Amino acid sequence: GTRSFTLRATVEKRETVVTALGSKETFKVRVQTGFGGNLESKRDVLAWFTTDDARLPVKVEAEFLLGTLRAELLDYKSGRRYALGALMPPENSGG
């Protein structure tokens, strides 16, 4: 689309969350959204990300005008890991 939104995220604390994958040490993050219309937030979105290198989103809670969203990670299979530099085109490709 042509619209962009500014999100402001604040790590509130470390917290242990019990998931389908077992207990996970997480960062609890409060996200302030700039959505409008049916996606306008009644309150800040809360998300919990694992503290390990994967930073998996294991839980999300949000209340929008349209309704309530609650999501939890049920399964995860690790994919290939790429170095960030491998995904970026070379700055000077010689052309």
Side-chain angles (χ1 to χ4, degrees):
T2 58
R3 297 181 69 187
S4 62
F5 301 94
T6 299
L7 304 177
R8 185 171 305 177
T10 304
V11 177
E12 290 192 332
K13 63 181 178 176
R14 288 176 86 113
E15 184 174 282
T16 301
V17 174
V18 178
T19 73
L21 304 175
S23 292
K24 298 290 183 185
E25 185 70 21
T26 66
F27 293 116
K28 181 180 178 183
V29 178
R30 180 173 300 275
V31 181
Q32 297 170 338
T33 67
F35 301 143
N38 288 336
L39 291 179
E40 186 176 335
S41 296
K42 289 183 174 181
R43 64 178 175 92
D44 294 340
V45 175
L46 297 175
W48 288 260
F49 297 90
T50 59
T51 59
D52 60 13
D53 288 342
R55 299 286 195 261
L56 295 174
V58 295
K59 184 176 168 181
V60 177
E61 294 180 358
E63 286 186 48
F64 302 108
L65 291 180
L66 186 65
T68 301
L69 166 78
R70 287 193 179 89
E72 292 187 17
L73 183 67
L74 298 178
D75 191 20
Y76 171 74
K77 292 178 180 60
S78 179
R80 255 188 232 181
R81 293 214 165 175
Y82 294 94
L84 183 57
L87 299 175
M88 305 288 224
E91 288 184 33
N92 294 322
S93 58

